Amino acid sequence: MFRPLSFYIGLRYTAAKRRNHFISFISLTSIIGLMLGVAVLIIVLSVMNGFDRELKQRILGMVPHATIQGAGPLDDWQSIDAKMQQHPRVLAAAPFIQGQGMVTGGGNVRGVVLNGILPEEERTVSIIENHMVEGSLNDLVSGEFGIIIGRLMAASLRLQIGDKVTVVLPEASVTPAGVLPRLKRFTVKGIFSVGAELDGNYTLIHMDDAAKLMRTGGKAEGIRLLVDDLFAAPRVSQQAAESLGGRYYVSDWTRTHGNLFQAIRMEKTMIGLLLMFIVAVAAFNIVSTLVMVVTDKTGDIAILRTMGATPGRIMRIFIVQGAVIGIFGTIVGTALGVFGALNISAFISWLEGALGHQFLSADVYFISYLPSQLQWQDVFIISGAGLAMSLLATIYPAWRASRVDPAEALRYE
């Protein structure tokens, strides 16, 4: 005799063709529901992880982790920059001048953020050098009034390398001809693409040119910091400012882009909880399946009881049957989910090309493609939750089977 007996009978009940085809249909839907629930949950959470990763690497790779500024332009920004680079938690520091304005070109106008930088120091705190489509940071030379723009801006204003653009500041200058806006002609020196909203409104110019345009007297407006721990940026920047003495103002990415990051984290949590209900519904179907199987096998249960099977053994038979459904559905669903999470980005890109329509536009969303990052921790949690709910769903039907009275069940057989 095959041992253990409860495992053997449970497997036979699972594989056997039932007289009641409706029970077989319910079993199949339970397995399919569990498979789909687990697979969809893994794929969706992987996509949310991808958005989280892109936010950190792309958006926060371009914008400052933290900045230190004074009440006005920094008189001795070189010494402050040197002190910041000596801080144990600061990986790199670079001076900057930032302002807002408009860029006109090709008959169109676009609002932009102007960033005055020193090319040799900017590459230590920014990822933009790795995303240059044309030109490089070295093309920004003091006095030449060159500008580096994003791919979306270049397409919107129909600009290419070497084209002239006019930068207009929201400040007026009093001249003999009247009050005129402050403006300056720049030459496009480079085009970058990070696949995010920054491609449409982020520009770079040399800090010396920015100082002349914004009249800071050749001084930097602030110091940009790259810290070793992204989430420690508020504390590190505050400590760094206090180490300088004097009165300085600090800002960090949690103030400028923290709402976007928190929204993604909250959406991941809420979507995960909601999709977990799909797995719970599929597990509940196992209860329905086993209850109907117990009703259908009442006579067999009574015979087993008369042959000496204990209530505990009867209970284990149906636990095995429900566990097989749950394990099979969870394993197949996990495999499908992992495969889908690893290939969803390529599939969406292919679908966009086939349909000729872009689902995610950088003009609307902060990235222009669907990212995905599979985290095995999520896979283990989802798979474990699916298995746990499947096993819990078998307890009541199995307990009900163990309570079958042999005499009552065989009375009309």
Side-chain angles (χ1 to χ4, degrees):
M1 178 65 68
F2 185 87
R3 301 289 179 141
L5 182 63
S6 56
F7 185 76
Y8 172 69
I9 298 176
L11 288 179
R12 285 199 59 182
Y13 278 1
T14 303
K17 294 183 178 179
R18 298 187 177 88
R19 298 185 298 272
N20 190 336
H21 295 290
F22 182 70
I23 298 177
S24 300
F25 174 76
I26 294 297
S27 300
L28 181 62
T29 57
S30 300
I31 294 175
I32 293 176
L34 196 57
M35 288 167 45
L36 292 178
V38 171
V40 169
L41 190 52
I42 291 175
I43 293 173
V44 170
L45 291 187
S46 296
V47 170
M48 299 303 294
N49 291 333
F51 277 104
D52 188 32
R53 178 197 64 200
E54 294 303 313
L55 173 64
K56 296 176 183 177
Q57 293 183 352
R58 291 180 178 265
I59 304 298
L60 298 181
M62 291 285 290
V63 302
H65 288 184
T67 60
I68 297 178
Q69 296 175 263
L74 301 176
D75 294 326
D76 189 16
W77 64 264
Q78 293 90 344
S79 63
I80 297 176
D81 181 63
K83 290 179 181 178
M84 289 300 95
Q85 300 205 34
Q86 294 174 0
H87 193 282
R89 301 293 302 273
V90 175
L91 300 178
F96 72 92
I97 298 175
Q98 190 174 79
Q100 296 182 347
M102 295 185 297
V103 171
T104 64
N108 296 317
V109 180
R110 197 174 186 108
V112 298
V113 177
L114 297 168
N115 295 275
I117 63 165
L118 293 179
E120 61 275 11
E121 295 196 29
E122 182 67 15
R123 57 172 51 92
T124 65
V125 296
S126 172
I127 63 171
I128 191 170
E129 185 73 17
N130 302 326
H131 294 273
M132 294 297 298
V133 177
E134 297 181 70
S136 70
L137 289 179
N138 293 330
D139 294 329
L140 293 179
V141 179
S142 175
E144 293 186 0
F145 289 93
I147 186 171
I148 294 177
I149 62 177
R151 178 182 54 83
L152 288 178
M153 186 184 302
S156 174
L157 302 181
R158 299 191 291 274
L159 298 174
Q160 297 178 354
I161 297 295
D163 289 348
K164 299 290 185 179
V165 297
T166 301
V167 175
V168 183
L169 296 184
E171 297 180 9
S173 299
V174 179
T175 68
V179 179
L180 297 176
R182 191 184 308 170
L183 50 86
K184 181 64 180 178
R185 294 282 283 176
F186 280 78
T187 303
V188 177
K189 295 289 188 177
I191 298 174
F192 67 87
S193 175
V194 294
E197 62 179 351
L198 298 177
D199 289 351
N201 58 20
Y202 197 83
T203 63
L204 298 171
I205 60 178
H206 198 280
M207 195 175 77
D208 293 341
D209 298 338
K212 295 175 184 177
L213 182 64
M214 301 177 192
R215 299 177 181 175
T216 64
K219 304 171 184 176
E221 183 183 28
I223 303 297
R224 170 178 172 171
L225 305 180
L226 179 70
V227 299
D228 58 354
D229 184 0
L230 193 64
F231 298 99
R235 184 175 66 257
V236 173
S237 60
Q238 187 65 41
Q239 293 173 352
E242 292 175 355
S243 67
L244 294 174
R247 188 174 182 180
Y248 295 95
Y249 301 94
V250 296
S251 180
D252 58 82
W253 68 270
T254 61
R255 301 182 184 181
T256 57
H257 292 79
N259 56 341
L260 182 60
F261 179 78
Q262 293 297 333
I264 291 177
R265 293 288 297 271
M266 183 182 68
E267 288 175 5
K268 178 184 176 181
T269 302
M270 296 306 299
I271 290 176
L273 291 175
L274 292 175
L275 290 180
M276 189 63 75
F277 283 111
I278 298 177
V279 181
V281 170
F284 184 77
N285 286 339
I286 296 177
V287 177
S288 304
T289 301
L290 292 182
V291 167
M292 287 187 288
V293 170
V294 169
T295 303
D296 188 56
K297 299 292 185 180
T298 300
D300 295 352
I301 296 171
I303 292 173
L304 289 172
R305 288 295 307 277
T306 58
M307 294 177 64
T310 62
R313 176 166 291 177
I314 298 297
M315 191 172 181
R316 287 193 294 272
I317 289 173
F318 291 95
I319 289 178
V320 168
Q321 184 180 0
V324 169
I325 295 175
I327 292 172
F328 181 79
T330 301
I331 291 176
V332 175
T334 300
L336 291 176
V338 170
F339 178 80
L342 294 176
N343 295 276
I344 186 67
S345 298
F347 173 74
I348 294 298
S349 297
W350 172 84
L351 189 62
E352 288 179 340
L355 298 178
H357 174 72
Q358 188 175 17
F359 298 123
L360 296 175
S361 173
D363 288 330
V364 180
Y365 305 97
F366 73 92
I367 60 173
S368 58
Y369 70 99
L370 188 71
S372 177
Q373 182 184 27
L374 181 67
Q375 293 186 358
W376 290 108
Q377 179 183 359
D378 291 340
V379 175
F380 294 143
I381 292 175
I382 295 168
S383 302
L387 289 174
M389 286 189 285
S390 300
L391 293 176
L392 288 175
T394 65
I395 294 177
Y396 170 72
W399 174 82
R400 182 174 172 178
S402 68
R403 305 296 294 176
V404 170
D405 184 2
E408 186 68 24
L410 296 174
R411 175 176 297 178
Y412 303 104
E413 292 291 333

